[in-house]
Amino acid sequence: MEIILNEYHKKVNAEMKQKVAFWKAHPQSRSESLKRLKLLREQRLASLSNWQG
């Protein structure tokens, strides 16, 4: 089965490749990565608590 990509998928793939290239060129330290993960977790918890009422 041949995979056929439409314009949306081509656009998304190109954006993902740009992001990967950027982060390869600008690696983060372990502490910066952990700080970012902590912030994302806090944001997700805040969003879920607001969603559930």
Side-chain angles (χ1 to χ4, degrees), residues 8-43:
Y8 170 77
H9 290 102
K10 290 177 185 176
K11 177 184 168 198
V12 170
N13 287 343
E15 290 173 358
M16 185 61 67
K17 285 182 182 181
Q18 285 179 338
K19 290 176 186 178
V20 169
F22 174 83
W23 288 112
K24 280 186 178 183
H26 302 89
Q28 286 185 335
S29 67
R30 179 173 169 79
S31 62
E32 184 64 32
S33 296
L34 292 174
K35 186 168 58 171
R36 183 178 285 246
L37 282 173
K38 181 180 176 188
L39 177 63
L40 289 172
R41 284 190 200 108
E42 290 172 356
Q43 289 174 341

Side-chain angles (χ1 to χ4, degrees), residues 44-53:
R44 183 178 58 218
L45 287 173
S47 175
L48 288 175
S49 66
N50 288 338
W51 175 254
Q52 293 173 355

